[in-house]
Amino acid sequence: MADYKAPLRDMRFVLNEVFEADKLWASLPGTQEVVDPDTADAILEEAAKLIEQEVAPLNRESDEQGCQWNDGVVTSPEGFKEAYQAFCEGGWNGLGGNPEYGGMGMPKTLTAQVEEMLQAGSMSFGLAPMLTAGACLSLDAHGSDELKEKYLPNMYSGVWSGAMDLTEPHAGTDLGIIRTKATENADGSYDITGTKIFITWGEHDMAENIIHLVLAKLPDAPAGPKGISLFLVPKIMVNEDGSLGEHNSLSCGSIEKKMGIKGSATCVMNFDNAKGWLVGEVNQGLACMFTMMNYERLVVGIQALGAAEHSYQSAIEYARDRLQSRSPEGTQNPEKAADPIIVHPDVRRMLLTMRAQIEGARAFSTYVAKWLDIVKFSDDADAKKEAEAMVALLTPVAKAFISDKALEVTVAGQQIFGGHGFIREWGQEQLVRDVRITQIYEGANGIQAMDLMGRKVVANGGKFFDVFANEVQAFVDANADDEAMEEFIEPLKSELDNLKSVTAEVIAEAQDDPNAIGAAANDYLHLFGLTAYAYMWAKMAKVALANEGSSDSDFYESKLKIARFFFQRQLPATRALSVSILAGSDTLMSLDADLF
Ligand SMILES: Cc1cc2nc3c(=O)[nH]c(=O)nc-3n(C[C@H](O)[C@H](O)[C@H](O)COP(=O)(O)OP(=O)(O)OC[C@H]3O[C@@H](n4cnc5c(N)ncnc54)[C@H](O)[C@@H]3O)c2cc1C
């Protein structure tokens, strides 16, 4: 496996050239004092150094070792504890956190790049800071001042980590049926009792304390999702003066043996009258969790992107080294027994598929991050409202489309290694196994697709969709007379028209057919994703065209060539998806359940 090298050139391209982050940051009241291009660049350089040197080298061995459970105590793989300490000492845990409580207040557009590096270095390791950052976000948005003061500083510093406890053995997607109970005490605290499963880093030895955010129901709560409340439950009780007290009544019953991300602990957590405190309002737990989940969902897409990038870095190194057969164009390497496999069109197809998807995903996740920054930092009510619509619409696409494609990308990376891709020591099979979870957790991809089609498109009659479509249309119109852009603008325009018409048809279909949304959802999400990537690639091509012949012309030339590959070889998949969507739900529902 190639040593991971953070793709800083491409990150700078997306951030500075495609999305002009400097202008965005300077325009937002919350970021103009905090970050400028030089600070951002220094952050990217430092993060790259730490992750390349301290985190990525642990990835392979941590997969072999896994975590160890012994009588409730979980030991992380060798080196994780030291790397976690180095990560926290560098202040990375609080990079995007609220400065009032010790966070650095950096915008998502920037933290997204650091997250990609971290997840590319090691998904297993990266999950600990990722869940802590998500828990902090939820606490910061919904917790009382007292809870925030008591917990956030130590979570931003990483001395304490965060975990998110939603899933129960019988309740995953449908959290409305959870059974964990909360009863109120006279002092305003709550006793929490129940069992949670699949809790990532729910127990470990890297931090002094673990702060669990737990979903539970009060005795008189309404049935279903409207009766869920959110509680903060520390592993070790925190005294009034901030020092650590007794162990709370919770324990890790076991850890799972699993397909991938083996270096992370996936815990069964038992709460037995554990003491907790309410976060947000009673029965508003799901809404509070969604604050965290919107953020987490983008990061899950970014996780998948990181794994895909790492796979590409190994694949391209291998494709240059591995000698097999001669080029169809004639011998390229006469002094050797065979030519490197990169000469073969089919190997190039796989490499280019990887590049087109990875760079499309990097641009798209940064684009979504831009909207998250506007929601968080803007003081312009209209801009905020527009950004909220974009975040709502695009988040399920970022989570599910990037992760679906990342599995294809890592499989292509494995395939380029031939038989060696199947052998553990090369690392490619680990990336395939690791990335697979990104399609499942934080809401399975099928559920993300239903969220996009149902709640974000059909439920509001396409109002959010129009915000996106109008932006793409404006880009098409603004570039209509640019001859050099014609090869990108023409297909983008036609894809946008197609997406608009398919969207209108599904909205109409859903009025009479209760199965219409579920039947269209997965293909619609992929159609949307491809069209959104076409927009991203057209934006990237525009910057590349403007820089042709510059001192870095190889970089921009490559961008244009990959853009052409995307438009000619990947985008046409929209046709098959559209036909499938418009076929409706009949064929899906006509086979009797007993006959399956
Ligand atoms: C390694 C790992 C780490 C995890 N980390 C955490 C964590 O830190 N915290 C936490 O709380 N949870 C965590 N999870 C749980 C994870 O989020 C859930 O597994 C996931 O949300 C799916 O729930 P489920 O497994 O119960 O599947 P189910 O809900 O039983 O779903 C099974 C299948 O049915 C489909 N399905 C269900 N309902 C519908 C519907 N209405 N329409 C269409 N299709 C539907 C789903 O898409 C899925 O394909 C983790 C899981 C794993 C494996």
Side-chain angles (χ1 to χ4, degrees), residues 164 166-167 172-173 198-200 266 437 440-442 444 447 450:
M164 158 172 150
L166 290 74
T167 308
T173 302
F198 296 161
I199 306 310
T200 300
T266 305
I437 189 62
I440 298 172
Y441 60 18
E442 288 300 325
I447 303 301
M450 301 259 295

Side-chain angles (χ1 to χ4, degrees), residues 127 131 163-175 196-202 213 215 256 258-261 264-267 289 292-293 297 437 439-448 450 518:
L127 277 161
L131 281 152
M164 158 172 150
D165 303 53
L166 290 74
T167 308
E168 298 183 7
H170 69 291
T173 302
D174 188 0
L175 292 169
K196 298 284 179 181
I197 63 163
F198 296 161
I199 306 310
T200 300
W201 289 120
L213 289 189
L215 289 182
E256 306 292 346
K258 52 194 192 290
M259 173 181 178
I261 52 166
S264 70
T266 305
C267 306
M289 265 295 177
M292 171 169 171
M293 294 211 321
R297 282 183 179 149
I437 189 62
Q439 297 177 295
I440 298 172
Y441 60 18
E442 288 300 325
N445 281 2
I447 303 301
Q448 301 298 326
M450 301 259 295

Side-chain angles (χ1 to χ4, degrees), residues 335-397:
E335 67 284 4
K336 295 271 169 64
D339 289 334
I341 59 172
I342 196 169
V343 301
H344 303 302
D346 190 56
V347 173
R348 292 175 149 259
R349 172 189 63 78
M350 292 189 273
L351 289 166
L352 283 163
T353 297
M354 296 176 88
R355 281 284 290 268
Q357 284 301 323
I358 289 166
E359 291 172 23
R362 185 169 296 123
F364 186 62
S365 52
T366 305
Y367 175 64
V368 180
K370 180 189 95 167
W371 294 113
L372 278 168
D373 281 342
I374 297 172
V375 170
K376 184 167 174 187
F377 295 111
S378 176
D379 57 0
D380 174 337
D382 290 339
K384 251 178 139 83
K385 204 165 154 220
E386 182 192 23
E388 274 162 5
M390 287 293 227
V391 167
L393 183 77
L394 302 177
T395 299
V397 185

Side-chain angles (χ1 to χ4, degrees), residues 452-567:
L452 171 71
M453 181 87 266
R455 292 182 42 219
K456 311 293 173 55
V457 174
V458 173
N460 58 39
K463 224 167 75 189
F464 293 175
F465 174 82
D466 289 345
V467 180
F468 173 75
N470 291 343
E471 182 181 301
V472 183
Q473 187 68 56
F475 180 81
V476 166
D477 295 344
N479 290 284
D481 298 331
D482 184 342
E483 250 177 64
M485 280 294 285
E486 195 181 335
E487 61 177 312
F488 307 113
I489 291 299
E490 277 305 310
L492 177 61
K493 180 176 179 310
S494 120
E495 292 300 339
L496 179 63
D497 290 345
N498 177 56
L499 184 63
K500 283 181 190 170
S501 114
V502 170
T503 303
E505 292 229 24
V506 180
I507 292 175
E509 189 75 15
Q511 309 310 313
D512 309 319
D513 176 3
N515 291 314
I517 291 171
N522 178 64
D523 291 334
Y524 183 81
L525 183 129
H526 281 248
L527 176 69
F528 196 115
L530 281 169
T531 310
Y533 277 26
Y535 177 41
M536 295 296 108
W537 272 112
K539 280 174 91 68
M540 291 194 275
K542 189 170 168 66
V543 177
L545 282 167
N547 285 281
E548 265 186 321
S550 72
S551 57
D552 200 4
S553 60
D554 279 356
F555 178 84
Y556 297 107
E557 256 319 298
S558 308
K559 275 283 166 211
L560 281 172
K561 288 182 173 160
I562 298 161
R564 287 185 188 117
F565 174 83
F566 175 81
F567 272 88

Side-chain angles (χ1 to χ4, degrees), residues 224-239:
K226 293 201 170 112
I228 301 175
S229 303
L230 179 64
F231 299 90
L232 180 152
V233 186
K235 167 181 159 183
I236 317 260
M237 305 295 284
V238 180
N239 297 322

